[in-house]
Amino acid sequence: MLVENRSANRVPYSSSLRAIMSIAKAQESRQWLSHWPELTREATPLIALPGLARTLGVARIDIKDESKRASLCSFKALGAPIALIRLIQRMWPEQKFEARELFLGKHAAHLRDFTVISATDGNHGRALAAAAHAIGCRCVIVLHKNVSMERESAIAAHGARIVRIAGNYDASVEEAARLASDNRWYVVSDTSYDGYEDIPRDVMQGYGTIAAEILEQRNVRQGDASAYTHVFLQGGVGGLAAGIASYLCEQHGKDRPTMVIVEPEQADCLYQSAIAGRAANATGSVDSVMAGLACGETSPLAWRFLQPSIDFFMTIQDDEAVDAMRLLARAEASDIPVVSGESGAAGLAGLAHLLRDPDLRRKTGLGADSTILLINTEGATAPAVYRELVGKSAEDVMAAQEKWLERA
């Protein structure tokens, strides 16, 4: 399903939004992250897929490959660490802790009794656990019933304490808040609620690194036209989309690209928000193979950025995401194979869905001259699930990728 957002506009980025998230703060976050040994200094690849573009009937498709975001294999590696650093700096302003020293564990003795907690579908919790381990504080992660054991093991490997609950993601958020209140721990969540906006803002600001890297990779400078006519962004609570959309809106103003958010039909909180004109909840079961997007409640803070900037909201079925995973793994024509997890392939699934329908193609302005940006938000963060869905292992796809690079 597709809904046009009547509240979207094309105006210069407002000063009120810039006071919350800005290119300047995104660049600061990016500089801080360069000191974290868990991440490589190099930008993740921006991959051109000319064969896929020809097959789908558009001029260009690029995919930003966050599966290469070091060992964490997900864009979430950019959000939770920045939020944790800024939280520590706010709590101990007199110490004047620097990000570089925190990431190197130089203040671990001071922070050994400090505990952070979060609910997660996997990637956010893994990133928070890894950052907490590096910094030297304690970390508790609440997992709901649908989070795989593979994802649990990956989080626990960073020393986090795991708490399992029987409910879904939204129930795990509630449990994390309860445990934090009972134990005087600090929630580091990527979704906002009344009275809780600083940390989600910092998480979203970290995601601006992705947009900054893309503009550099396409050699787009201030005042230049957008390199893309259309940008497809995954949904979830809205944090990733808000972080990237805010950056592109500040960069391009009224000449920003058309932006489309894609989410599972059973976890359609952003789609419902577009219909209601306010942050709303999903209408479905929330359970989805796209685990990272299986969220039932829109982040109100993220919605402040999405409402004026996202042109279309759409939902897809689980099998469409799986088809897109397979399409990226086998590669079209001369394209390089790409490892994309269930949520990572959602943008391509949304694009393919629109292009199959002449009315939807026309409505969204997609055509032979369109240039498309996709974000592969994760790799095979659950390897067994990936093998089952794609029919081959992530290692097989990466081996094919290496062979392609040797020939290129």
Side-chain angles (χ1 to χ4, degrees), residues 3-329:
V3 62
E4 183 174 0
N5 176 22
R6 301 295 183 180
S7 298
N9 58 49
R10 292 180 179 274
V11 298
Y13 192 58
S14 73
S15 58
S16 61
L17 293 181
R18 186 181 291 108
I20 303 172
M21 284 202 294
S22 66
I23 287 177
K25 280 293 186 182
Q27 293 289 14
E28 180 182 58
S29 297
R30 184 184 181 191
Q31 195 274 330
W32 286 1
L33 288 165
S34 70
H35 298 300
W36 190 24
E38 190 73 37
L39 299 181
T40 57
R41 288 181 177 270
E42 298 78 18
T44 54
L46 181 66
I47 300 170
L49 300 174
L52 182 58
R54 286 193 296 272
T55 298
L56 294 181
V58 295
R60 180 178 182 132
I61 296 176
D62 287 349
I63 187 165
K64 180 67 167 168
D65 189 7
E66 290 299 293
S67 75
K68 301 294 187 180
R69 192 61 74 178
S71 62
L72 298 180
C73 305
S74 165
F75 79 99
K76 290 293 181 77
L78 302 171
I82 289 298
L84 180 53
I85 290 288
R86 293 193 188 279
L87 171 62
I88 290 170
Q89 289 176 334
R90 284 194 297 271
M91 290 192 62
W92 288 281
E94 72 284 354
Q95 297 292 335
K96 300 188 182 336
F97 289 139
E98 295 183 0
R100 178 180 178 278
E101 292 184 344
L102 286 168
F103 276 135
L104 294 177
K106 293 188 175 182
H107 300 290
H110 187 95
L111 299 169
R112 62 188 177 190
D113 295 324
F114 176 59
T115 302
V116 292
I117 184 171
S118 184
T120 187
D121 284 305
N123 293 333
H124 174 77
R126 185 178 178 185
L128 180 61
H133 180 75
I135 290 169
C137 63
R138 298 177 182 177
C139 181
V140 179
I141 298 297
V142 182
L143 303 178
H144 59 85
K145 64 179 180 180
N146 295 319
V147 177
S148 70
M149 289 303 300
E150 283 185 302
R151 289 192 170 96
E152 176 179 331
S153 297
I155 296 168
H158 294 290
R161 172 188 164 192
I162 305 297
V163 175
R164 275 278 184 178
I165 68 159
N168 61 16
Y169 173 76
D170 296 320
S172 68
V173 171
E174 294 176 2
E175 179 63 8
R178 185 190 69 80
L179 288 171
S181 177
D182 290 350
N183 296 281
R184 295 185 179 180
W185 297 339
Y186 292 84
V187 175
V188 179
S189 174
D190 55 359
T191 187
S192 66
Y193 46 84
D194 187 32
Y196 183 81
E197 291 192 342
D198 287 351
I199 288 174
R201 174 205 62 207
D202 296 337
V203 171
M204 294 189 298
Q205 191 70 87
Y207 300 154
T209 294
I210 298 172
E213 290 179 356
I214 292 168
L215 293 178
E216 288 181 2
Q217 288 165 318
R218 289 301 311 273
N219 198 29
V220 176
R221 296 181 172 85
Q222 191 66 39
D224 289 350
S226 173
Y228 303 101
T229 61
H230 293 74
V231 177
F232 283 73
L233 299 167
Q234 283 83 337
V237 301
L240 169 70
I244 293 179
S246 65
Y247 198 108
L248 295 178
C249 286
E250 184 173 354
Q251 174 77 19
H252 296 297
K254 62 183 180 61
D255 299 318
R256 66 168 178 78
T258 295
M259 290 188 272
V260 184
I261 279 185
V262 184
E263 59 189 340
E265 63 178 7
Q266 62 270 50
D268 60 347
C269 58
L270 298 179
Y271 180 93
Q272 295 300 329
S273 297
I275 293 173
R278 55 175 175 77
N281 296 343
T283 57
S285 65
V286 179
D287 297 336
S288 169
V289 70
M290 293 169 271
L293 306 181
C295 306
E297 297 183 12
T298 298
S299 168
L301 179 61
W303 184 248
R304 289 176 62 179
F305 293 87
L306 302 180
Q307 187 172 28
S309 66
I310 303 301
D311 300 283
F312 298 95
F313 293 80
M314 67 176 296
T315 60
I316 58 170
Q317 298 179 355
D318 281 0
D319 59 0
E320 292 181 284
V322 175
D323 287 344
M325 292 172 66
R326 294 170 179 164
L327 184 58
L328 289 168

Side-chain angles (χ1 to χ4, degrees), residues 382-396:
V385 175
Y386 182 88
R387 178 192 287 272
E388 178 182 354
L389 295 176
V390 176
K392 60 176 70 175
S393 69
E395 289 77 13
D396 290 339

